[in-house]
């Protein structure tokens, strides 16, 4: 699989010659986590690119995409439904906001997101920006009754 595909990101329920590779790989990850996987087997799997902490790797990949977006656009306000390299970046970012709101986002991850300009309270930020635009309009026109 790795030689043919160039990676070992096996999709769920993928079979190779009758073997469910995804299930087998999950078993190897579980055995490693429990300390039951021989180090030589771990090394063989690592040599072909097996990632042990899949969710952590996915988070890092999505963060890398967000940084790429931020550097290109000059902000981290990802538009709704925006995809970056096939990843729905706005959904991922909204998931991070929800985790923070519930107190479930690791503080080190929160800091990394904050450092690149992620706004946590998007609606409040939008309200404030619109209010400032209305104030500008009012100062220029002498009233706040936008036609």
């Amino acid at each position: 699989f790795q030689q043919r595909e160039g990676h070992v990101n096996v999709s769920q329920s993928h079979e190779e010659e009758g073997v469910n590779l995804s299930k087998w790989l999950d078993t190897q990850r579980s055995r490693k986590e429990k300390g039951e996987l021989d180090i030589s087997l771990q090394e063989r799997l690592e040599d072909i690119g097996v990632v042990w902490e899949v969710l952590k790797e996915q988070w890092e990949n999505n963060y890398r995409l967000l940084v790429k977006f931020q550097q290109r656009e000059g902000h981290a306000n990802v538009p709704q439904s925006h995809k970056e390299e096939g990843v729905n970046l706005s959904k991922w970012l909204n998931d991070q906001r929800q985790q923070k709101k519930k107190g479930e986002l690791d503080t080190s991850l929160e800091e990394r997101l904050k450092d690149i300009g992620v706004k946590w309270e998007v609606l409040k930020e939008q309200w404030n920006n619109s209010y400032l635009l209305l104030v500008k309009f009012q100062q220029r026109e002498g009233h706040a009754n936008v036609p």
Side-chain angles (χ1 to χ4, degrees), residues 15-140:
E15 288 195 13
E16 195 79 19
E17 298 180 17
V19 175
N20 184 324
L21 279 184
S22 178
K23 187 174 181 180
W24 180 82
L25 195 50
D26 285 346
T27 300
Q28 304 317 301
R29 287 182 175 118
S30 178
R31 290 180 63 207
K32 179 189 181 292
E33 191 174 320
K34 294 175 185 174
E36 298 172 355
L37 185 63
D38 186 88
I39 191 74
S40 66
L41 300 178
Q42 286 181 44
E43 289 171 353
R44 287 175 65 189
L45 290 168
E46 289 166 0
D47 287 346
I48 62 168
V50 167
V51 172
W52 297 112
E53 297 182 51
V54 177
L55 294 178
K56 182 178 179 181
E57 181 76 12
Q58 288 173 341
W59 195 95
E60 291 297 336
N61 183 56
N62 291 339
Y63 178 78
R64 179 186 60 77
L65 293 174
L66 180 59
V67 169
K68 181 179 175 181
F69 174 91
Q70 189 272 342
Q71 290 173 342
R72 182 182 66 240
E73 302 296 331
H75 61 81
N77 301 323
V78 180
Q80 194 171 14
S81 302
H82 176 78
K83 291 187 178 182
E84 194 81 19
E85 295 181 17
V87 173
N88 188 333
L89 202 53
S90 63
K91 181 185 180 323
W92 177 78
L93 188 52
N94 284 332
D95 290 346
Q96 304 314 300
R97 288 181 177 118
Q98 289 304 309
Q99 285 184 15
K100 180 187 182 312
K101 193 174 188 177
K102 294 176 186 174
E104 297 173 354
L105 184 62
D106 184 276
T107 54
S108 66
L109 302 180
E110 181 182 333
E111 277 300 311
R112 289 175 65 192
L113 291 167
K114 181 182 170 193
D115 288 346
I116 61 167
V118 168
K119 306 294 184 198
W120 297 109
E121 297 184 36
V122 178
L123 295 177
K124 185 177 181 180
E125 184 80 17
Q126 288 172 343
W127 191 95
N128 286 333
N129 289 340
S130 294
Y131 175 77
L132 291 175
L133 290 173
L134 181 60
V135 168
K136 275 180 156 178
F137 176 88
Q138 189 275 335
Q139 290 171 344
R140 183 182 69 240

